[in-house]
Amino acid sequence: MTDTLTPRERSHRMRAVRQHNTDIEVLVRRLIHRSGYRFRLNVRDLPGSPDIVLPRHKTVCFVHGCLWHGDECRAGRLPATNHAWWAEKIAANRRRDQLAASACSALGWRVITVWQCALKGKGRLLPDKLQSILAANIAGGPDFKEIRGTHTLDLP
């Protein structure tokens, strides 16, 4: 299947994809704030410029879109067109995400990753459940925590 858009139109559409203040990021921030935590946004002094930083609790939170960051859920499936290019792009994103999380952990930060599938779609978690998971892991928990939805693909 070929792309129905011209390269210029495709470029314009891709530039419109937001990097900050996405719907899922705003929802996670609301849940954390509702739990009584205060935070900073997109701290560039930390590796990977985490989406949410809770300095008092030495915790960073990355909010990942399943497609862009290569989750193994339904929303993370690669597009059918230009498959090789997308596979390399997502692999590079995953490597960069892993390096950022490891670097934050090496600096003594607890790392929480919230995936889009935990917030949207059939397998999403209820807001109260997600809020309690976030609060429990901010207050104290493992050095790395990934929060996903309940429906994932069984990939080969």
Side-chain angles (χ1 to χ4, degrees):
M1 179 182 229
T2 60
D3 196 352
T4 59
L5 300 176
T6 67
R8 186 175 181 178
E9 292 169 331
R10 174 63 58 204
S11 178
H12 178 70
R13 186 168 291 181
M14 294 303 284
R15 264 196 312 272
V17 176
R18 295 193 326 202
Q19 293 180 345
H20 301 293
N21 297 321
T22 62
D23 293 344
I24 57 175
E25 188 178 320
V26 170
L27 179 57
V28 171
R29 291 191 325 225
R30 284 184 184 151
L31 294 174
I32 291 172
H33 190 269
R34 191 186 313 164
S35 295
Y37 294 106
R38 300 302 175 255
F39 48 83
R40 294 175 53 207
L41 302 177
N42 309 111
V43 176
R44 294 191 181 270
D45 296 342
L46 291 172
S49 186
D51 299 310
I52 302 166
V53 178
L54 298 106
R56 176 180 280 171
H57 302 280
K58 201 80 168 158
T59 302
V60 297
C61 184
F62 292 96
V63 182
H64 289 334
C66 293
L67 170 64
W68 296 102
H69 295 272
D71 193 17
E72 296 176 354
C73 69
R74 293 172 197 223
R77 283 191 233 167
L78 294 177
T81 59
N82 209 357
H83 189 79
W85 183 86
W86 279 104
E88 178 54 36
K89 173 159 184 54
I90 301 308
N93 288 351
R94 290 182 72 140
R95 285 190 299 271
R96 189 179 61 242
D97 293 340
Q98 182 60 40
L99 286 173
S102 296
C104 284
S105 181
L107 292 172
W109 291 84
R110 182 178 303 117
V111 178
I112 300 172
T113 303
V114 181
W115 290 89
Q116 172 187 355
C117 57
L119 303 161
K120 289 185 169 186
K122 287 183 179 181
R124 72 180 174 269
L125 302 175
L126 294 174
D128 290 342
K129 179 168 179 66
L130 181 57
Q131 182 179 348
S132 67
I133 292 170
L134 285 166
N137 284 283
I138 290 169
D143 288 343
F144 292 97
K145 174 69 175 179
E146 292 201 10
I147 303 171
R148 288 186 162 87
T150 59
H151 289 312
T152 58
L153 288 176
D154 294 324
L155 299 177

